[in-house]
Amino acid sequence: MTTSSPAPDLSWIKKLTRPEDLAAYRNTLIAEQQPDATRILVCCGTGCKALGALDLLAAMKQAVADAHLDVKVAPLVKRTGCHSFCSRGPLLTIQPQDIFYQKLKPSDAAEIVQETIIGGKIVPRFLYKPIGSKQPIEKRSEIPFFAAQTRVVLERVGVVDPFDIRDSIVHGAYSALVKVLTQMSPKEVIEEMKISKLRGRGGAGFPAGLKWESCARQKGRHYVICNGDEGDPGAFMDASTMEGDPHAVLEGMAIAAYSMGSDRGFIYVRMEYPLAVQTLANAIRQAEDLGLLGQNILGTGFNFKVSVSTGAGAFVCGESSALMSSLEGKVGRPRPKYIRSTEKGFRDSPSNLNNVETYANVPKIILNGGAWYASMGTERSAGTKVFSLTGNVNNVGLIEVPMGTSLRHIVYDIGGGIPNKKELKAVQTGGPSGGCIPIPKKFLDINVGFGKLAEIGSIMGSGGMIVMDENTCMVEVSRYFIHFLVEESCGQCTPCREGLTQMERILTRITRGEGEEGDIELLEEIGTFTNSFSLCGLGTSSANPVLSTIRYFREEYEAHIRDKKCPAGVCKALYHLEIQPEVCTGCGVCKKRCPAKAITGEKKEPHLIHQELCIKCMECYRNCKFDAIAIR
Amino acid sequence: MSEPNTCCEEPEIDFVFLDRIIQEEFGGRKEAMIMMMQTIQRHYRYLPEAAMIYLSHSIGVPLTKIYEVATFYASFSLVPKGKHILHICTGTACHLRGSGGMVQHVAQKLGIEPGKTTADMKLTLETVNCLGACAMAPVAVLDEQYHPQATVGLINELLDPILAE
Ligand SMILES: Cc1cc2nc3c(=O)[nH]c(=O)nc-3n(C[C@H](O)[C@H](O)[C@H](O)COP(=O)(O)O)c2cc1C
Ligand code: SF4
Ligand code: SF4
Ligand code: SF4
Ligand code: FES
Ligand code: FES
């Protein structure tokens, strides 16, 4: 999937040849750009782009041009990465007034320019209203979704134009790199990282400072690699970071390279993220042209060249050794862990692999100090964490909170609760390696962090957080993840390859109403075995979705097996839909929506579903305003 | 550049074009093989055998290794794809909002499995594990055009004109 390229004009570039040039250049830019002048920040992240944000951006530019404003700054309209409140897109923020307009159409552009930019008046129609409230909120910082967050990694995401390095420099990019190049020895950098207690954000949570130290100790050419594979389906934190603030990732990698004497880096991005690839490639080119990456950086003699590689659609390539072998142009099969990548990784050389978010934290740690970072979060899980909050929750988007924040705070205060008055059932974390946490029962006040989530049978993972309501079938969710893993297992070791296949077979049977007594115990046995004896992390966590759902939702498995019922109304063979005549108002919405023409009925008369035609797409169920359709 | 062939017979392979990809764009480096294959596939919509043989000779990687890579990674195809490609996201966020049902519906409607192409080569149905637009779930992409919050009804509206072509 390609994206149109905003061809950059690079005529302004003049190489910076001394470390002190950066601050001077920044001051010139600040003077030119007048940060307190009005700016319109249009979100062009992947989510908003899918909703037509590029048309909105063009319309805003046109409206500004048509208004013949006496513009003091150029550009007045700026494209940015994800503003993080994706379920409200297409959207924009007007700075410095901090006005947040959402759910916009290109045709709204002229009104925004006339009323707000020229007239200085708010257009209430475009403002956000919290669910269940009539009071619109003007300022972005006062919207609960934003107010309840602590943004470190995401500070510049949605604020800067990711295609113009100057904007990032104005907002402080590369000043941490200057600091390490001029004031810190490689050892001191690693020391600061250790003090920060930053643990890798890719899932395993290994302390970054220790990894850097053990890699730096090795002899030979060192490689610095960034894991932008983000395989967890339903997570987009790393995508948004790469798309919204590419220079934070690049600067973090450059600092890592300096600390371990490396001159070469790679970013491995999954191919489903064309916008991230394009943004990073452009950012690298601009940083090289300015002398902030590449040969002889800022005249200090430090060299660091970075390139972007794309994956080819294999989840297992997110695993470190598989990723490195994929970078070498080969198939990505994990290898045993006793060979450490920090000793013999990419090209059999010492290689340091970290996740996108891990690197993006580094400049902040260097500038503010490791102790500052460690002061956030909890004792064992320091700092903040970005989650992508999706599923059955009102506010879908990216959130960044200190480690140790409770699920209640995340789902209700930030997420705004569950839509359509449904009950919260579970939160899934950690993707296919994670588990489902049953919320209402016990764990609403659990604090997210590496240790806590593992204790209750899930993992923190890289930050995917999927909220599930009462209409989610836990057996089906576990079948879904196991099916995913069957497709993605590299197949080289038997417990993973065969164990997953068998688990999928059993789960499929159960969801079809063909489950048998003993299936649950068999699943537990196979799952425990697969988790114990597989080679890589894919296999050793693969049964978590099954084991955690059996642990907490055993009665749901039993309902499928014994009663041949799917209580949530998901497993198609085990339920049907019925319109309750006493509730149905005959509004006709369901009839209009039904793609299978399975519903008949006269206006104002109770409607009827013809079971033999119904494909159970749930369109009618979701859209009936009167709750007249029942799962039976 | 030769026109990408969209039908069933082996396309004409343009070796000058292949050389440009292999040597100029990627410097003939073995390590860039996956990205070369991606570029070749973008052009022909699949990996034609003749092009793989040429690639093998050019960078000195045995053909069996190239096939190993081509079959390991989900994005490569050894058979031609249809004129139009419909991707339906089956990532977790999209799955929970009913993308599985959409896939089933399209598969039934077209009489093909996901990953396969209709006999008249008009349409390929693909699934994908997350496009990073999860807030818009479920997401369908027809020929690189995103359709957020897709429904079976919307997919029918998109496909019917194509099938009637
Ligand atoms: C099957 C599998 C898939 C993985 N996928 C990813 C991924 O998509 N992104 C990521 O950063 N780490 C992923 N990891 C974890 C990496 O192996 C590695 O631990 C991590 O990238 C190291 O970076 P960190 O220490 O900064 O977290 C995966 C691990 C396994 C076993
Ligand atoms: S555990 Fe699974 S994915 Fe990992 S090496 Fe073994 S077969 Fe491959
Ligand atoms: S949408 Fe609900 S109330 Fe309206 S006709 Fe259908 S079942 Fe009856
Ligand atoms: S579930 Fe879908 S097919 Fe069945 S009656 Fe409702 S809208 Fe029609
Ligand atoms: S993509 Fe626009 S807010 Fe996330
Ligand atoms: S799960 Fe479909 S876009 Fe992420």
Side-chain angles (χ1 to χ4, degrees):
Chain A
M1 276 145 261
T2 52
T3 35
S4 64
S5 169
D9 165 27
L10 299 178
S11 53
W12 45 270
I13 283 190
K14 214 176 113 248
K15 208 159 192 127
L16 308 174
T17 51
R18 297 168 312 169
E20 56 271 34
D21 287 356
L22 180 74
Y25 184 53
R26 177 164 181 239
N27 288 337
T28 342
L29 290 175
I30 290 175
E32 272 171 25
Q33 292 208 342
Q34 303 181 358
D36 52 345
T38 296
R39 279 176 186 284
I40 306 166
L41 278 52
V42 181
C43 176
C44 295
T46 293
C48 286
K49 243 180 94 200
L51 292 170
L54 291 182
D55 294 337
L56 176 66
L57 178 74
M60 287 305 299
K61 286 188 173 162
Q62 190 58 47
V64 165
D66 290 349
H68 300 292
L69 296 172
D70 179 19
V71 194
K72 287 190 286 300
V73 290
L76 177 63
V77 182
K78 179 161 104 174
R79 92 176 263 178
T80 73
C82 176
H83 281 42
S84 87
F85 204 175
C86 310
S87 54
R88 292 276 137 188
L91 47 80
L92 54 81
T93 309
I94 300 169
Q95 296 292 21
Q97 298 89 327
D98 203 31
I99 300 165
F100 183 73
Y101 283 164
Q102 41 102 53
K103 297 240 174 208
L104 299 171
K105 293 188 293 298
S107 56
D108 298 328
E111 191 177 348
I112 295 173
V113 172
Q114 283 307 325
E115 292 297 310
T116 310
I117 304 299
I118 298 175
K121 287 195 296 277
I122 303 275
V123 186
R125 192 153 60 84
F126 302 141
L127 292 175
Y128 166 75
K129 284 194 220 67
I131 306 283
S133 154
K134 290 213 170 59
Q135 198 51 47
I137 302 177
E138 280 177 22
K139 284 190 190 306
R140 178 174 134 139
S141 56
E142 286 166 10
I143 294 172
F145 178 81
F146 292 103
Q149 301 192 37
T150 307
R151 293 165 80 94
V152 174
V153 173
L154 298 181
E155 193 187 0
R156 285 199 303 247
V157 175
V159 174
V160 297
D161 177 348
F163 286 96
D164 188 339
I165 191 174
R166 291 171 296 181
D167 202 19
S168 295
I169 290 177
V170 166
H171 287 84
Y174 295 100
S175 48
L177 180 63
V178 168
K179 182 173 175 186
V180 302
L181 291 175
T182 53
Q183 299 170 31
M184 294 172 84
S185 69
K187 273 212 165 59
E188 284 168 335
V189 173
I190 290 176
E191 217 34 58
E192 208 57 50
M193 290 299 292
K194 281 161 68 180
I195 294 170
S196 78
K197 297 195 192 161
L198 171 68
R199 295 172 66 173
R201 294 318 195 217
F206 192 81
L210 289 182
K211 195 188 270 183
W212 292 19
E213 188 174 48
S214 72
C215 189
R217 236 187 266 129
Q218 304 301 317
K219 296 217 165 36
R221 190 176 187 192
H222 290 65
Y223 293 100
V224 167
I225 303 170
C226 175
N227 190 344
D229 200 42
E230 192 155 61
D232 177 355
F236 53 101
M237 312 70 61
D238 294 347
S240 301
T241 308
M242 294 184 283
E243 290 167 11
D245 190 6
H247 293 291
V249 183
L250 295 170
E251 188 181 2
M253 291 177 71
I255 293 169
Y258 172 78
S259 82
M260 50 193 96
S262 161
D263 66 346
R264 187 76 175 100
F266 294 89
I267 310 180
Y268 186 88
V269 185
R270 67 195 291 250
M271 56 166 290
E272 290 85 353
Y273 288 168
L275 182 58
V277 173
Q278 189 195 6
T279 312
L280 284 166
N282 178 71
I284 292 169
R285 196 166 60 242
Q286 294 190 355
E288 282 180 352
D289 288 348
L290 263 183
L292 294 164
L293 288 177
Q295 290 296 312
N296 193 16
I297 293 172
L298 294 169
T300 59
F302 171 54
N303 305 324
F304 185 55
K305 177 162 179 54
V306 191
S307 31
V308 185
S309 286
T310 55
F315 172 70
V316 74
C317 286
E319 195 274 345
S320 46
S321 60
L323 186 149
M324 291 181 197
S325 124
S326 181
L327 265 186
E328 291 169 5
K330 303 178 190 148
V331 298
R333 285 201 197 93
R335 60 176 197 196
K337 276 274 178 284
Y338 59 82
I339 317 165
R340 285 171 184 250
S341 304
T342 46
E343 291 164 21
K344 257 172 161 308
F346 178 63
R347 295 179 184 161
D348 275 337
S349 303
S351 307
N352 180 75
L353 176 79
N354 279 123
N355 165 262
V356 168
E357 191 181 331
T358 314
Y359 284 122
N361 269 305
V362 172
K364 296 282 163 57
I365 293 175
I366 295 298
L367 286 179
N368 301 325
W372 160 80
Y373 194 81
S375 75
M376 292 183 291
T378 67
E379 180 62 28
R380 288 183 53 205
S381 304
T384 60
K385 176 80 194 90
V386 183
F387 291 99
S388 61
L389 188 64
T390 61
N392 308 120
V393 61
N394 278 317
N395 303 336
V396 174
L398 275 192
I399 60 164
E400 183 172 0
V401 290
M403 290 275 195
T405 302
S406 74
L407 281 173
R408 181 194 299 278
H409 187 62
I410 292 176
V411 174
Y412 287 97
D413 301 340
I414 301 178
I418 315 303
N420 307 326
K421 301 193 197 92
K422 301 265 177 189
E423 290 284 332
L424 170 61
K425 182 167 184 180
V427 171
Q428 207 278 347
T429 61
S433 313
C436 290
I437 308 164
I439 294 301
K441 283 191 192 146
K442 311 181 185 160
F443 298 122
L444 199 49
D445 289 301
I446 198 145
N447 301 328
V448 295
F450 290 101
K452 266 287 179 294
L453 292 177
E455 256 169 52
I456 57 172
S458 185
I459 60 164
M460 188 157 87
S462 54
M465 188 173 275
I466 294 160
V467 180
M468 298 174 171
D469 70 11
E470 55 188 297
N471 287 130
T472 315
C473 169
M474 290 299 144
V475 185
E476 211 286 326
V477 164
S478 109
R479 187 210 57 81
Y480 165 77
F481 281 119
I482 297 301
H483 172 75
F484 175 90
L485 292 168
V486 166
E487 304 252 293
E488 298 297 339
S489 163
C490 82
Q492 70 176 324
C493 60
T494 316
C496 170
R497 185 184 65 236
E498 298 303 321
L500 282 167
T501 311
Q502 293 310 321
M503 284 192 280
E504 186 188 15
R505 217 174 264 174
I506 299 170
L507 287 164
T508 306
R509 263 204 290 109
I510 299 178
T511 55
R512 288 197 181 139
E514 296 155 13
E516 294 160 10
E517 284 301 325
D519 275 351
I520 300 181
E521 293 71 20
L522 195 54
L523 281 171
E524 286 174 320
E525 191 186 331
I526 301 174
T528 313
F529 183 84
T530 308
N531 267 8
S532 314
F533 298 109
S534 296
L535 177 66
C536 84
L538 188 151
T540 56
S541 61
S542 63
N544 290 0
V546 182
L547 297 177
S548 74
T549 48
I550 293 182
R551 178 162 161 196
Y552 297 119
F553 301 96
R554 201 180 183 102
E555 68 290 347
E556 213 166 312
Y557 280 82
E558 284 164 353
H560 282 73
I561 296 171
R562 287 193 198 134
D563 315 331
K564 310 292 174 207
K565 283 272 170 243
C566 176
V570 173
C571 300
K572 292 193 176 179
L574 302 185
Y575 78 98
H576 67 271
L577 293 175
E578 269 173 30
I579 297 177
Q580 298 163 276
E582 64 286 6
V583 190
C584 174
T585 64
C587 73
V589 165
C590 56
K591 186 166 128 184
K592 221 185 291 140
R593 288 255 176 181
C594 175
K597 299 194 171 51
I599 302 180
T600 54
E602 296 299 316
K603 268 254 166 268
K604 300 203 174 132
E605 295 287 325
H607 282 43
L608 184 74
I609 297 178
H610 298 269
Q611 301 299 338
E612 68 287 0
L613 295 175
C614 172
I615 57 170
K616 295 182 181 163
C617 68
M618 302 304 271
E619 271 297 290
C620 55
Y621 179 83
R622 272 196 289 267
N623 287 293
C624 174
K625 290 212 167 44
F626 306 95
D627 278 334
I629 303 179
I631 296 169
R632 289 283 150 78
Chain B
M1 230 186 266
S2 69
E3 264 300 291
N5 192 304
T6 52
C7 196
C8 356
E9 78 271 22
E10 272 284 302
E12 203 55 45
I13 300 296
D14 178 346
F15 295 102
V16 178
F17 166 73
L18 287 181
D19 260 343
R20 204 175 303 140
I21 294 172
I22 299 169
Q23 305 302 346
E24 286 171 32
E25 200 171 325
F26 293 105
R29 292 178 304 114
K30 284 182 199 172
E31 274 178 358
M33 187 173 89
I34 292 175
M35 285 196 281
M36 292 172 189
M37 290 166 68
Q38 279 170 341
T39 314
I40 294 171
Q41 168 152 314
R42 251 196 305 282
H43 184 72
Y44 294 106
R45 290 164 182 268
Y46 80 111
L47 297 172
E49 189 178 347
M52 292 304 99
I53 294 172
Y54 190 73
L55 177 67
S56 162
H57 285 298
S58 301
I59 61 174
V61 171
L63 196 57
T64 49
K65 282 276 169 214
I66 295 185
Y67 277 100
E68 188 190 18
V69 167
T71 51
F72 182 86
Y73 292 101
S75 66
F76 291 125
S77 174
L78 295 170
V79 291
K81 301 248 160 144
K83 181 159 172 231
H84 301 277
I85 300 185
L86 174 70
H87 281 93
I88 297 181
C89 177
T90 51
T92 320
C94 291
H95 177 78
L96 283 183
R97 296 217 191 152
S99 70
M102 290 196 305
V103 175
Q104 252 181 28
H105 171 77
V106 178
Q108 245 163 33
K109 186 179 170 104
L110 304 178
I112 52 169
E113 297 274 301
K116 295 280 187 308
T117 304
T118 53
D120 58 7
M121 301 303 288
K122 271 189 189 149
L123 188 89
T124 303
L125 169 64
E126 300 268 13
T127 59
V128 48
N129 293 323
C130 193
L131 297 154
C134 320
M136 273 82 231
V139 184
V141 183
L142 179 65
D143 298 332
E144 307 187 358
Q145 175 76 38
Y146 282 64
H147 296 277
Q149 278 135 15
T151 58
V152 171
L154 174 92
I155 299 230
N156 284 341
E157 275 169 40
L158 293 176
L159 292 190
D160 289 341
I162 291 180
L163 300 176
E165 258 170 31

